[in-house]
Amino acid sequence: MANEFKKAIDDIGDTIKEGIHRGNAEAEHDTRTIAGDAMTPGEKAGSVVREVSEDVKADVDKTKRNLRDST
């Protein structure tokens, strides 16, 4: 019973973190959409890197949750 409770708490934490990371990735994408030509190529590249990084972090949280639930 205690393990199931800990699993549920960890799942909730990973779900929240995944949502935050996905929101940050979307915000980076929106920044490029809104700023568009006002951004330098370096700023755009940095924004793309931050977006991809946030997506990867979200995928890691999702994978941790899926692995935990499969055991």
Side-chain angles (χ1 to χ4, degrees):
M1 185 69 140
N3 285 339
E4 291 300 316
F5 181 72
K6 180 173 176 6
K7 228 185 223 190
I9 296 298
D10 290 343
D11 282 352
I12 291 168
D14 286 337
T15 300
I16 290 169
K17 287 189 251 180
E18 179 187 357
I20 291 169
H21 292 306
R22 297 230 186 264
N24 289 342
E26 189 174 324
E28 281 298 330
H29 181 81
D30 291 346
T31 297
R32 286 192 314 279
T33 301
I34 292 168
D37 294 335
M39 294 177 83
T40 66
E43 289 172 332
K44 286 181 184 179
S47 178
V48 169
V49 169
R50 285 188 295 277
E51 179 183 0
V52 170
S53 172
E54 291 294 332
D55 277 334
V56 168
K57 290 175 187 177
D59 289 341
V60 166
D61 288 328
K62 182 178 180 180
T63 300
K64 286 185 340 189
R65 194 174 63 248
N66 289 340
L67 286 172
R68 187 181 311 113
D69 291 344
S70 69
T71 59

